[in-house]
Amino acid sequence: MHTDPYLWLEDDSAATRAWCAEQQARTAAELDADPRFAALADEVLEHLRDDERVPFVEAHAGWWHHFLQSPAHPRGVYRRIRPDDYRANRDAWEVLFDLDALAAAEGVDWHLAGIDHCTERPARCLLSLSADGGDAACLREYDLDARAFVAEGFQLPPGKHSVTWRDPDSLYAAVVLSEADATASGYPREVKLWQRGQPFAQAHSLLKAEHRALAVSAWRMLNPDGGEPVDIIEEALSFYRTRYWRVLPDLSRQALPLPPKVDIDGVVAGQLIVRLNQAWGDLDAGVLLALDWQALCTGDIDPLPLFTPGPRQSVDGALAGRSCLFVHVLDEGVSQLWVYTPTADGWQAQRAPLPGQGQLEMVDQPWQSNVLLFGYDDFLTPSTLYWLDADASLTPQALRGQPPRFAAEQMHAQLRHAIAPDGERIPYFVVARRDAPHDGQRPTLLYGYGGFAVPMTPFYLGALGRQWLEQGGVFVLSCIRGGGEFGPDWHEAALAERRQVAFDDFLAIARQLIADGVTCPARLGIQGGSNGGLLVAAAMTQAPELFGAVVCEVPLTDMLRYTELSAGPSWIDEYGDPADPEHHAALAAYSPYQHLQAGVRYPATLVTTSSSDDRVHPGHARKFTARLGELGQPVLLYQSDAGGHSGQGGDMRQLAAEVARVTVFLYQQLMDAA
């Protein structure tokens, strides 16, 4: 029977804190003391605080809103501006909410976890505030016009809540106030209709799920034409299986006859827009379709396919406008934007032009309009915010663009393919200086994720361009199976007991980079976070000879105990259940923590985590570090105190230092090597 000598590092005990402090001191001595660290941290901080960075805005009631972090407001302020002033680049912002002032007044290190405007009364917002950057957050109602919290307004203590507006005086609230309110994964198991002025305990229960379910939530989709709103309860049976219910006027519920693996993207002209994540009848997984809402409610199912992806395509998302549908398609990892309009004969599809072969981010779809605000960038093109009004033209208008951060004209980006062991073509992007010698000695950073149907797409390299590419480094972005680049089949190819497929794809790219003379093992580094942390940890245990450095961020590493830690039970659909003998065997075959062996030389490794991470437990990172240290391997651990799993929304100095620390580590291991 396997015994775990470092099980104690899963606890927040005095011994664990002392051990972590010792690791922090070692890391500071190695990285923070490097002569390059301070200058790099200052440079990253300058980039984060850059006043010329594009403010991505959301439109509400004639104002454009934006959350800003700056030197004067490191935690951030929520502000608004009139569209004409934004377009003219006038500094006419009005501050609505000051998170730094609140933190100072209450003595709490607040992080902003979210802002939700009431569609019918946009000046009323629900603010989600996290005390440490974790997923658990408290909720308070705020009046933007009064610049104050609403007296006797909606509020909740910290928890992993899911709360949305139903109308100005009621909420759909799925709340975790005690262990009894939570599923096995720690998310809400009951959703209620909560009326203004009503104690939450008296709110009307709409659905209470079983303890083994993942979570429940509910939301309202308003009809811009004034028709009856569509109210939906989402009962997540597991990470990928959902039961949808319609909330009837008398607050009873009616099951919708949809398959369990679908996403609902909105309502247009009485049509429910659905993305299939599984085959349904003669429709393949990945298809975007429309269903007549009224007919669906009577059990009459007549799906109309809108977009059927090709073998190297996927639908990344869709937003419903007043009378059109905006659809984001990925084609070989590159964004396309399509606009669908219902007509008397069906739907008309038109493709909107984009600036290049990069990434689109749907930023906002203003209420009661056919407008889309979206961001665009690619590896070498800074982010720009665009405005597209489908009622006027399908040609997007650039609103603001970020100035270049590095000499992009000296670089080029290429799409290449590696062949996996099973013969599949695995795409990856290579970004490097045009004049770099093809001598197999270039310092190269290979980044990967490969899970949860999340696609890896081109993005502006910003500070990395200056700190890595301009220094002669190569950046590689992998698009391995397990991700969402090519739809549900691409994701499911590496699901659960097939997880090794994702690792094989990643290793195939690493070997191809070496075979093509891009780099060599001593100068090849890999980086990934969360599921990507699992990816690089597995890669280094399975093929340590391929790599010179590993950056393993907020990782899962003990796959035999992951369901016992934090939100682990929610990921059984993705990884499999260690309690199931078949899944246990597959997990045991690659679980990185258990596969660290004596007598093997592992690459230098930097592991990061956060003591406030309530999604992926920091015990994964701590135990992996401890085991590597026991084996005499070169390993460093950095554990932050705040920022949660994502590390966002906190102090920018801390974030800049963390980025600089990773960069120094890569310099030391890959660029300084003889």
Side-chain angles (χ1 to χ4, degrees):
M1 179 179 293
H2 173 73
T3 58
D4 186 351
Y6 298 111
L7 193 65
W8 58 277
L9 287 173
E10 295 178 2
D11 300 327
D12 184 26
S13 64
T16 296
R17 291 193 292 273
W19 181 87
C20 290
E22 181 182 346
Q23 301 303 313
Q24 297 288 81
R26 289 183 59 249
T27 300
E30 289 283 339
L31 302 180
D32 297 27
D34 188 291
R36 295 165 290 195
F37 174 78
L40 282 168
D42 288 343
E43 187 175 326
V44 175
L45 185 61
E46 176 191 355
H47 173 63
L48 294 174
R49 291 175 166 177
D50 190 347
D51 291 338
E52 295 182 302
R53 296 184 76 194
V54 179
F56 278 16
V57 294
E58 291 187 0
H60 300 283
W63 293 92
W64 286 0
H65 296 73
H66 173 248
F67 182 67
L68 171 74
Q69 291 178 289
S70 67
H73 301 281
R75 288 183 180 83
V77 294
Y78 194 55
R79 57 185 189 161
R80 70 184 181 187
I81 193 171
R82 290 295 187 186
D84 287 346
D85 289 326
Y86 185 98
R87 292 174 185 273
N89 205 23
R90 289 190 286 265
D91 188 13
W93 294 94
E94 297 181 12
V95 173
L96 304 172
F97 172 71
D98 188 329
L99 191 59
D100 294 273
L102 180 70
E106 299 187 351
V108 179
D109 182 21
W110 288 120
H111 294 62
L112 184 67
I115 300 176
D116 182 19
H117 289 252
C118 176
T119 301
E120 296 170 287
R121 193 178 178 185
R124 287 294 178 92
C125 295
L126 299 175
L127 298 182
S128 295
L129 302 169
S130 170
D132 55 13
D135 289 349
C138 68
L139 180 136
R140 300 184 192 177
E141 185 180 3
Y142 191 80
D143 189 320
L144 297 177
D145 288 338
R147 314 290 203 270
F149 290 107
V150 177
E152 306 301 322
F154 293 110
Q155 58 180 320
L156 289 167
K160 291 187 177 182
H161 312 312
S162 175
V163 181
T164 59
W165 292 98
R166 180 178 183 264
D167 57 43
D169 291 313
S170 65
L171 305 176
Y172 284 127
V175 171
V176 176
L177 299 177
S178 69
E179 188 173 335
D181 299 326
T183 64
S185 299
Y187 297 105
R189 63 179 298 211
E190 184 175 20
V191 62
K192 298 182 176 184
L193 175 60
W194 185 16
Q195 302 285 352
R196 183 176 297 281
Q198 182 183 53
F200 182 74
Q202 298 176 13
H204 180 83
S205 178
L206 297 170
L207 183 146
K208 187 171 185 178
E210 295 185 10
H211 183 257
R212 66 174 180 268
L214 175 62
V216 296
S217 60
W219 73 93
R220 164 166 283 187
M221 294 181 285
L222 290 168
N223 279 317
D225 58 8
E228 179 184 336
V230 174
D231 293 83
I232 300 289
I233 297 173
E234 179 179 328
E235 182 185 6
L237 305 175
S238 63
F239 206 89
Y240 299 117
R241 295 183 302 112
T242 303
R243 182 184 294 133
Y244 290 103
W245 305 81
R246 175 194 181 195
V247 182
L248 298 171
D250 64 358
L251 301 185
S252 63
R253 63 181 188 267
Q254 173 192 4
L256 294 177
L258 295 171
K261 294 184 179 181
V262 300
D263 293 318
I264 294 176
D265 285 323
V267 175
V268 178
Q271 302 287 305
L272 188 71
I273 308 302
V274 169
R275 271 182 290 159
L276 293 179
N277 296 317
Q278 65 174 88
W280 190 28
D282 58 357
L283 296 172
D284 293 334
V287 171
L288 180 75
L289 55 88
L291 292 159
D292 183 272
W293 171 247
Q294 293 300 330
L296 183 69
C297 292
T298 64
D300 184 7
I301 304 172
D302 186 18
L304 175 65
L306 300 180
F307 184 87
T308 301
R312 308 291 279 188
Q313 292 180 318
S314 68
V315 177
D316 191 55
L319 282 179
R322 185 190 70 248
S323 58
C324 73
L325 181 70
F326 299 99
V327 181
H328 179 202
V329 171
L330 291 177
D331 188 326
E332 199 72 60
V334 172
S335 289
Q336 296 178 354
L337 177 61
W338 291 81
V339 180
Y340 283 76
T341 307
T343 69
D345 300 323
W347 290 73
Q348 179 188 42
Q350 296 175 282
R351 183 174 170 184
L354 293 180
Q357 302 293 300
Q359 169 188 246
L360 176 148
E361 177 186 351
M362 290 181 167
V363 175
D364 190 36
Q365 196 290 301
W367 169 240
Q368 292 185 317
S369 77
N370 286 329
V371 167
L372 178 69
L373 287 162
F374 69 89
Y376 173 85
D377 62 354
D378 59 41
F379 293 118
L380 306 178
T381 304
S383 182
T384 298
L385 182 65
Y386 286 88
W387 165 281
L388 188 153
D389 186 348
D391 289 336
S393 169
L394 291 188
T395 301
Q397 302 173 11
L399 296 177
R400 287 197 190 180
Q402 179 184 355
R405 297 290 300 176
F406 63 96
E409 66 278 2
Q410 300 176 8
M411 315 296 171
H412 65 161
Q414 297 176 309
L415 173 63
R416 301 183 182 182
H417 294 84
I419 305 301
D422 62 2
E424 183 66 68
R425 293 171 66 246
I426 311 301
Y428 62 98
F429 295 94
V430 178
V431 191
R433 292 178 62 103
R434 294 181 183 275
D435 61 357
H438 204 75
D439 57 1
Q441 295 295 312
R442 286 178 288 177
T444 299
L445 178 61
L446 169 59
Y447 187 88
Y449 187 77
F452 294 94
V454 175
M456 294 289 101
T457 58
F459 61 93
Y460 186 56
L461 293 179
L464 188 65
R466 182 182 299 180
Q467 297 166 0
W468 188 253
L469 299 180
E470 287 189 350
Q471 310 308 313
V474 178
F475 178 75
V476 181
L477 181 67
S478 63
C479 304
I480 62 178
R481 283 173 287 184
E485 290 83 359
F486 304 139
D489 290 346
W490 191 256
H491 168 227
E492 293 183 3
L495 205 59
E497 69 275 10
R498 300 184 293 276
R499 201 75 195 172
Q500 184 60 40
V501 167
F503 310 145
D504 289 343
D505 290 355
F506 193 67
L507 293 173
I509 294 172
R511 292 187 172 100
Q512 193 66 52
L513 291 168
I514 295 168
D516 289 345
V518 174
T519 189
C520 62
R523 293 184 182 271
L524 176 56
I526 52 176
Q527 181 180 11
S530 192
N531 176 76
L534 168 63
L535 169 69
V536 298
M540 67 175 278
T541 57
Q542 294 183 18
E545 72 282 358
L546 290 180
F547 310 113
V550 178
V551 179
C552 184
E553 299 170 309
V554 290
L556 290 91
T557 64
D558 186 348
M559 299 308 292
L560 302 185
R561 277 187 54 77
Y562 84 91
T563 54
E564 307 297 320
L565 301 170
S566 299
S570 66
W571 309 320
I572 287 175
D573 271 10
E574 181 74 15
Y575 299 122
D577 188 350
D580 180 300
E582 182 179 348
H583 289 168
H584 185 280
L587 290 162
Y590 73 78
S591 184
Y593 177 56
Q594 284 81 12
H595 278 268
L596 292 171
Q597 301 176 16
V600 177
R601 182 181 179 276
Y602 293 103
T605 304
L606 172 63
V607 185
T608 72
T609 188
S610 171
S611 59
S612 63
D613 190 343
D614 53 359
R615 194 180 314 172
V616 175
H617 195 283
H620 285 281
R622 296 169 185 160
K623 295 198 303 180
F624 196 65
T625 300
R627 176 61 175 154
L628 280 168
E630 175 196 340
L631 297 175
Q633 301 295 325
V635 60
L636 298 172
L637 173 71
Y638 185 82
Q639 176 178 289
S640 63
D641 295 326
H645 186 64
S646 67
Q648 300 298 314
D651 185 275
M652 286 191 291
R653 285 190 177 276
Q654 176 181 308
L655 180 58
E658 291 173 5
V659 173
R661 206 166 280 119
V662 170
T663 306
V664 166
F665 174 77
L666 293 171
Y667 281 176
Q668 290 178 349
Q669 303 303 324
L670 305 180
M671 286 194 172
D672 296 349

